[in-house]
Amino acid sequence: MASELPLYLLLLAALLAAPLFFLFATKCARTPRGGARPLRLPPGPWALPVIGHLHHLAGALPHRAMRDLARRHGPLMMLRFGEVPVVVASSPAAAREVMRTHDAAFASRPMGPMSRLWFQGADGILFAPYGDAWRQLRRVCTQELLSARRVQAFRPVREDELRRLLRAVAAASAAGRPVNLTETISTYIADSTVRAIIGSRRLKDRDAYLQMLKGLFGIMPGMSLPDLFPSSRLAMLVSRAPARIQAYRRRMRQIMDGIIQEHRERAAAAGDGDDEEDFVDVLLRLQKEVDSQFPLTTENIKTVMLDIFGASTETSATTLDWAMAELLRNPGAMEKAQREVREALAVAGHDTVTEDSLGDLHYLRFVVKETLRLHPPATMLVPRQCQSPCQVLGFDVPAGITVLVNAWAVGRDPDHWDDPERFLPERFERSMKDFKGADFEFIPFGAGRRICPGMTFGLAHIELALAALLFHFDWALPGGVAAEELDMTEAFGIATPRRYDLLVVATSRAL
Ligand code: HEM
């Protein structure tokens, strides 16, 4: 979840940060003070002064470049991005040690200068350091916002937004033009999520909020110069990131203040009620109720509003997009998935997909699993930080180091998956492997204390829409393009989308 940094910037960084190199080299000396045994740090490739290993990432997507490096240097590597030392875990065994054996030690998130500027003490949940404040918000998420009961309560919203999605596809189909499925899927997920967070489509600031959130991904703290060289004042001075973050933050807070105010006024007028609460209603209610050492501040509420949108929309939309792309590329799997959903609805006597119809769709769930194995949206999960020194695969991992887990490489590990590059949903007919955090060869949602709390919410959107798209339409690639020619190249992005939008010809099925 970091933004791309062009190579010329890295070279500039090298010039700017030269004095820091010596400081860093001293900090990372392999022999600890006090005559203790020398540290046995994980191995890594050759490094350049100042920029460290960043040049190894140039020209390839980070998860691919790091998988290739791991093939040469092993499942636990130590790299350096600018000034920042990073340990990368690339096998199920390494992932297990990070997220199970030493889960508590690795349960924190690193916080660079841009993140500090962005959050200003109201850390939210997604990027929050491990501690009581995170624990409290995490509880709010799992027990209130993203509980099975709450996800169920948003079912009418999902089904309403699904109807809009199906109408958009049907309109393109009737006009005889291809539909941009990437865009329509993205609108479905974003609209449904925003309705869950802030409620009604009629809300005054809704469009401004949605626009602002869509721009958020371009500005979120990432691999900026100050993050790569946190001790350099010069990096802070020459980078445009701090000014952009502050301006964006100001505008965003204004919009969110308006939304919160509107919710407060509505609650005061109507009295609190549980039935149609959106996330902001719930958070404002808890703000009054929660009696804790860490009260839920309005700033916390704003960060949670952003975290949830940021963590949920791109991940869910990209998964659905990849699932449709894989099915188009694998007509046998498409046919099997369509047959399953169509037969199940025929038996139930339904002519439209609702969440009640999803119960017996086993193959559809295998399709989603296989999509998440091959295309985990957070390819490197969300960065962790080591809080206390520990040993992983026999190597020392010092406190303070950033830890990345290459979930993408783990899902394609040939020691754990047969024919790992092929899209084969059937593999899950024979295997009980699941993504709920117990099987470390399959970790698209992470594992341990920081495992994704939005799994149920995300899957509810994905499964419903996938079933409906397969039920109502037959699909083909435009211009007679053969299935195997569909370009499956990945792009750099917050959730590793396909490089090209998915343009498809949909034919409405006569019912
Ligand atoms: C296909 C959909 C999704 C995928 C693949 C996904 C994946 C992930 C991953 C890999 C993490 C980091 C886990 C770790 O560090 O071990 C995460 C964290 C998180 N996700 Fe998801 N996610 C998805 C959907 C959602 C949805 C729909 C929501 C909310 C509605 C959500 C909310 C969060 C939050 C709040 C965190 C931070 C948890 C923490 O740091 O304690 N995610 N997600």
Side-chain angles (χ1 to χ4, degrees), residues 1 99 107 109 125-128 134 138 141 146 193 279 307-317 319 372 375-384 407 443-459 461-462:
M1 295 196 179
M99 296 188 291
R109 306 271 192 222
I125 171 164
L126 183 56
F127 299 110
W134 165 81
R138 171 95 195 181
C141 268
L146 302 172
T193 310
F279 289 175
D307 278 354
I308 292 205
F309 189 87
S312 73
T313 50
E314 295 283 302
T315 47
S316 305
T319 305
L372 285 165
H375 309 288
T379 51
M380 309 290 296
L381 302 185
V382 180
R384 307 284 188 104
I443 44 170
F445 293 99
R449 286 168 170 74
R450 301 300 290 241
I451 194 171
C452 174
M455 208 183 288
T456 314
F457 188 96
L459 291 173
H461 281 93
I462 294 166

Side-chain angles (χ1 to χ4, degrees), residues 117-118 215 218-220 239-250:
L117 197 63
W118 178 264
I219 186 113
M220 265 173 111
S239 168
R240 289 188 6 234
R244 286 179 72 203
I245 284 183
Q246 273 169 322
Y248 202 81
R249 200 175 177 278
R250 259 196 309 276

Side-chain angles (χ1 to χ4, degrees), residues 144-145 149-150 152-157 194-203 263 266-267 270-283 285:
E144 292 280 350
L145 303 181
R149 188 179 66 89
R150 185 80 53 194
Q152 185 59 22
F154 285 118
R155 177 179 161 171
V157 171
V194 165
R195 277 177 74 178
I197 300 173
I198 64 172
S200 161
R201 283 182 157 263
R202 289 186 303 277
L203 200 80
H263 277 73
R266 206 178 51 192
D272 293 341
D274 195 24
D275 278 357
E276 290 175 14
E277 280 187 313
D278 56 48
F279 289 175
V280 175
D281 291 323
V282 177
L283 290 164
R285 172 168 57 75

Side-chain angles (χ1 to χ4, degrees), residues 34-242:
R37 76 172 168 85
L39 292 183
R40 185 169 175 254
L41 296 174
W46 61 280
L48 280 173
V50 184
I51 66 166
H53 297 99
L54 281 171
H55 58 292
H56 289 287
L57 305 189
L61 294 172
H63 54 280
R64 288 184 178 270
M66 285 192 235
R67 189 265 315 260
D68 294 346
L69 288 174
R71 283 183 173 156
R72 294 198 293 278
H73 301 281
L76 199 75
M77 291 184 296
M78 179 133 165
L79 305 176
R80 182 161 54 79
F81 300 156
E83 262 178 47
V84 182
V86 177
V87 163
V88 186
S90 308
S91 71
R96 173 188 293 272
E97 290 209 21
V98 169
M99 296 188 291
R100 175 171 288 167
T101 318
H102 303 294
D103 184 31
F106 290 109
S108 204
R109 306 271 192 222
M111 173 86 60
M114 292 303 90
S115 303
R116 273 195 290 278
L117 197 63
W118 178 264
F119 294 115
Q120 300 193 7
D123 298 334
I125 171 164
L126 183 56
F127 299 110
Y130 184 55
D132 288 338
W134 165 81
R135 206 171 283 115
Q136 181 183 310
L137 281 182
R138 171 95 195 181
R139 209 173 301 127
V140 167
C141 268
T142 51
Q143 293 177 6
E144 292 280 350
L145 303 181
L146 302 172
S147 66
R149 188 179 66 89
R150 185 80 53 194
V151 172
Q152 185 59 22
F154 285 118
R155 177 179 161 171
V157 171
R158 279 191 295 282
E159 291 181 349
D160 187 39
E161 292 300 333
L162 175 70
R163 281 190 287 277
R164 287 172 204 270
L165 165 68
L166 296 177
R167 276 203 297 273
V169 177
S173 164
R177 57 182 158 78
V179 58
N180 185 330
L181 208 49
T182 305
E183 264 177 20
T184 47
I185 285 174
S186 164
T187 305
Y188 155 71
I189 298 277
D191 283 348
S192 185
T193 310
V194 165
R195 277 177 74 178
I197 300 173
I198 64 172
S200 161
R201 283 182 157 263
R202 289 186 303 277
L203 200 80
K204 191 163 60 88
D205 289 317
R206 179 185 174 279
D207 290 344
Y209 182 63
L210 196 51
Q211 273 318 102
M212 178 199 75
L213 289 169
K214 285 185 175 161
L216 177 69
F217 301 121
I219 186 113
M220 265 173 111
M223 252 200 203
S224 63
L225 271 184
D227 282 325
L228 291 171
F229 300 99
S231 67
S232 166
R233 284 208 199 144
L234 197 54
M236 198 74 169
L237 276 176
V238 297
S239 168
R240 289 188 6 234

